[in-house]
Every structure is written in structure tokens, then in C-alpha cells.
């Protein structure tokens, strides 16, 4: 759900068309991220109250996730990766924080709340997932650094086949057996191939893709909704038994991710916009991937934290975006100049 579009050279006759496409995509993204939590709540209700219907969707969760990742790939362009060379430090901080802070917070939360093994693995797996696809839109709405957000999400996603299985094995292996190899292969199939495929299609048919950019956030919303219906429908007993404690775990995990992500960037002398971007990128996870992996590698109960995280982090992200947006004027004169923001 990136808000990035390729920008032609000034003076070309394609500029107005691209600007119009970008404006349309931005409007669509703002609407999508606003109604997203409501649609996810509706999806959760459908899964809970009509579990039979949800179970008919469950065998195809990997396909839904692949479609989401392909849509994400369609939003990417080669310049989105240029920041790795132009501004490597903030990108490195964001990606490292993503794969250090959230996994460790997830482990800490499971220990403090003394979660049972299946729920503990689910929480840790959420922490080991890459950045969420809606984080780019939240950064845009928060007046953070959207280009930096896109790059962070892209890099963390491309690293997911390696980082997510290894971290899950390391942190969650004491709770349940973890087949890191099978998990890595699943991520390659569901994430890496679709994202790269979308990027290639964007390179080949950029003008055509520009026309459908406004629809891409809605494809992501629909895909995540189907994943939530599938996961919740298989976790109705777990929701009744442990829904409250899982919600608490998710709130703590997400909130601490925002807070620690922000102050990590600031302590490393990043500017205000870069710090807000790191905060959002760290706190918002690819919960659709975590839910799909948990359901296939462990059990529907293990996917419950990811399903609840999907609902909560979009609600909290929208609120955080409003807060950051309102506070943006106070930080126009940013005292930290170590990195251009």
C-alpha cells in the first residue's frame, strides 16, 4: 500500500497524468486506511459467527497473501531502493530495529503474561514478521518520510525469508517445534516471488499499472480481510478462552514497538520525520503473513495473535498518524541535522 509513484522529468507531457494518478492513489489510500479497521472488524465478526463459511476460505490463505504481496510489488519502483545508497543509515536503523525490537518485545510480552505455548509462538511470530504493508500509508498521513517508509518495508520484506524463520526458531523454538526451512520456503512462495513479480510488471507496464494504482490499497484490504476471516473461523474457541489476554499482549507489543522505535531513532541522532517513520515501521507488522504462517506451521490458535494484531495496529496506526500530523508543525525546525529529512 505504498503511496509512491514514478515522477517523470519536469516538462514532459506525462507529468499531469502521473500527478493525477498519484493524487487519486493518495485519496484511495486515505479512504482505505480509514475504513480498514472497520472492515477488519467486520471480517473478524464473520469468521467468529460463521465459522463454517470461514473454513471454506481457509485453504486459500497463502493465495490471498500472495495477491497482497503482488499488489505491494506493483507499487514499488527502482527509485524506492535508491535510498539504500543515498541515505543508508536511517534505512539500516529502521530495518535492524524491525528485526530486533519487535521480536524481543514479543518474547518479553509472552514471558510477562505467561502465555501458553501456542499463543506465545503466535505473538513471537508477529514480532519476527517484516513491516506491514499499510505502514506506508500511515507514514504518509502522519507527515513522516513516506519514501523512507517504502524503502524500509521493501527491504524488511525481501529479508523475511531469511530473518523471520531464523528469529522464530531462536525465540519460539522452546515453546513449539519450528521447521525454519519449511517456513523460509513458504515465505519465498508467498512473499518474495509475488513482490518481485509485481516489481517486474511495474517495470514492464508502468503506464498500465499507474492506472490501477488507486485500486491496489483495496486489494490489500480485501486480502487481509479474507485472511482474518479464515484465521478467526478456526480460532473461535481460543478467542472465547483467551481473547482478552491476547488483546492485552497485542496492545503491549504494538505500543512498545511504536515507542521504542521512535526513541531508538532519536538516540541515534535521526531527525524527527525519520524517527516517526521508524516508529511506525517498527510498530506495524505484516500480520497477514504472520497469521498465514502460524496457521500453516502451527495451529489456528497460534494465528490468533496475528489476527487481533491486524485489527489493532491499523486502529492504533490511524490514531498515531493523527497525533504525529498535529505535532508536525512543532518540529519544522528540527534540531537534529545529522541526517537530512
Amino acid at each position: 500500500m505504498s503511496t509512491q509513484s514514478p515522477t517523470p522529468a519536469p516538462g514532459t507531457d506525462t507529468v499531469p497524468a502521473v500527478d493525477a494518478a498519484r493524487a487519486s492513489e493518495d485519496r484511495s489510500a486515505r479512504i482505505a486506511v480509514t475504513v480498514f479497521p472497520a472492515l477488519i472488524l467486520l471480517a473478524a465478526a464473520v469468521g467468529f459467527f460463521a465459522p463454517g463459511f470461514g473454513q471454506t476460505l481457509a485453504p486459500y490463505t497463502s493465495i490471498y497473501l500472495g495477491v497482497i504481496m503482488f499488489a505491494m510489488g506493483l507499487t514499488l519502483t527502482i527509485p524506492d531502493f535508491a535510498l539504500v545508497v543515498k541515505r543508508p543509515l536511517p534505512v539500516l536503523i529502521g530495518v535492524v530495529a524491525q528485526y530486533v525490537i519487535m521480536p524481543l518485545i514479543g518474547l518479553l510480552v509472552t514471558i510477562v503474561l505467561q502465555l501458553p505455548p501456542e499463543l506465545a509462538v503466535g505473538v513471537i511470530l508477529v514480532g519476527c514478521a517484516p513491516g506491514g504493508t499499510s505502514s506506508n500509508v500511515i507514514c504518509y498521513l502522519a507527515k513522516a518520510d513516506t519514501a523512507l517508509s517504502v524503502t524500509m518495508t521493501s527491504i524488511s520484506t525481501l529479508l523475511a525469508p531469511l530473518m523471520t524463520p531464523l528469529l522464530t526458531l531462536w525465540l519460539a523454538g522452546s515453546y513449539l517445534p519450528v521447521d525454519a526451512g519449511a517456513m523460509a520456503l513458504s515465505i519465498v512462495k508467498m512473499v518474495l516471488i509475488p513482490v518481485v513479480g509485481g516489481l517486474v510488471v511495474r517495470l514492464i507496464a508502468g503506464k498500465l499499472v499507474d492506472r490501477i494504482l488507486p485500486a491496489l490499497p483495496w486489494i490489500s484490504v480485501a486480502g487481509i480481510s479474507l485472511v482474518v476471516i479464515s484465521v478467526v473461523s478456526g480460532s473461535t474457541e481460543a478467542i472465547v478462552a483467551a481473547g482478552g489476554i491476547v488483546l492485552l499482549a497485542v496492545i503491549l507489543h504494538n505500543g512498545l514497538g511504536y515507542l521504542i522505535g521512535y526513541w531508538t531513532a532519536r538516540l541515534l541522532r535521526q531527525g524527527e520525520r525519520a524517527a516517526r517513520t521508524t516508529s511506525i515501521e517498527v510498530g506495524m507488522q505484516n500480520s497477514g503473513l504472520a497469521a498465514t504462517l502460524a496457521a500453516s506451521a502451527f495451529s489456528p490458535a497460534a494465528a490468533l495473535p496475528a489476527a487481533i494484531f491486524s485489527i489493532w495496529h491499523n486502529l492504533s496506526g490511524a490514531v498515531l498518524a493523527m497525533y504525529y500530523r498535529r505535532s508536525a508543525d512543532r518540529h519544522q525546525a528540527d534540531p537534529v541535522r545529522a541526517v537530512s529529512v
Side-chain angles (χ1 to χ4, degrees):
M1 292 176 65
S2 164
T3 58
Q4 298 299 292
S5 298
T7 305
T12 64
D13 56 4
T14 57
V15 171
V18 172
D19 287 345
R22 178 180 295 175
S24 179
E25 182 192 0
D26 289 347
R27 285 195 301 272
S28 180
R30 287 196 298 270
I31 295 171
V33 82
T34 301
V35 303
F36 190 14
L39 292 176
I40 297 300
L41 284 171
L42 177 61
V46 170
F48 186 81
F49 292 107
F53 171 70
Q55 286 301 288
T56 64
L57 301 175
Y60 309 103
T61 51
S62 60
I63 296 176
Y64 310 145
L65 185 65
V67 171
I68 296 167
M69 292 295 99
F70 181 73
M72 175 185 171
L74 288 176
T75 69
L76 299 177
T77 62
I78 296 300
D80 291 330
F81 298 92
L83 284 182
V84 176
V85 176
K86 294 179 180 178
R87 296 169 56 195
L89 183 57
V91 175
L92 180 64
I93 290 171
V95 174
V96 171
Q98 174 75 52
Y99 282 120
V100 172
I101 292 173
M102 287 303 275
L104 292 179
I105 293 175
L107 178 62
L108 177 64
V109 167
T110 63
I111 293 172
V112 170
L113 298 181
Q114 297 184 344
L115 296 180
E118 288 183 329
L119 297 179
V121 168
V123 171
I124 292 170
L125 184 53
V126 170
C128 297
T133 55
S134 58
S135 62
N136 308 146
V137 179
I138 295 298
C139 282
Y140 172 79
L141 298 177
K143 290 187 175 180
D145 192 328
T146 308
L148 180 60
S149 172
V150 171
T151 303
M152 287 179 179
T153 302
S154 304
I155 299 300
S156 70
T157 299
L158 294 176
L159 289 174
L162 174 65
M163 298 303 298
T164 299
L166 288 179
L167 289 169
T168 304
L169 176 62
W170 177 43
L171 299 175
S174 61
Y175 290 98
L176 291 175
V178 177
D179 189 340
M183 187 178 292
L185 182 60
S186 295
I187 297 173
V188 168
K189 292 178 180 178
M190 294 186 297
V191 175
L192 189 61
I193 292 175
V195 168
V196 173
L199 176 60
V200 171
V201 171
R202 180 72 180 267
L203 289 173
I204 295 172
K207 291 183 179 179
L208 176 62
V209 173
D210 286 341
R211 296 177 184 175
I212 64 171
L213 282 177
L216 297 183
W218 294 102
I219 292 175
S220 296
V221 169
I224 292 292
S225 298
L226 291 173
V227 170
V228 169
I229 291 174
S230 303
V231 170
V232 170
S233 67
S235 311
T236 53
E237 293 182 3
I239 292 172
V240 173
I245 193 68
V246 174
L247 177 60
L248 176 59
V250 165
I251 292 173
L252 289 173
H253 198 183
N254 174 240
L256 288 172
Y258 289 144
L259 183 65
I260 298 175
Y262 176 87
W263 285 108
T264 296
R266 290 303 275 172
L267 289 173
L268 292 173
R269 300 188 57 78
Q270 299 304 294
E272 178 63 29
R273 290 182 66 212
R276 290 200 299 265
T277 303
T278 304
S279 168
I280 293 168
E281 283 296 317
V282 171
M284 301 190 73
Q285 301 294 90
N286 191 331
S287 49
L289 172 61
T292 304
L293 290 174
S296 61
F298 302 108
S299 69
L304 180 59
I308 295 179
F309 198 99
S310 181
I311 301 167
W312 177 257
H313 83 152
N314 284 285
L315 289 168
S316 65
V319 172
L320 185 65
M322 288 189 293
Y323 169 77
Y324 279 154
R325 192 177 185 89
R326 290 176 180 176
S327 66
D329 291 342
R330 299 200 303 267
H331 299 288
Q332 286 181 353
D334 194 337
V336 179
R337 299 294 182 183
V339 177
S340 173
V341 297

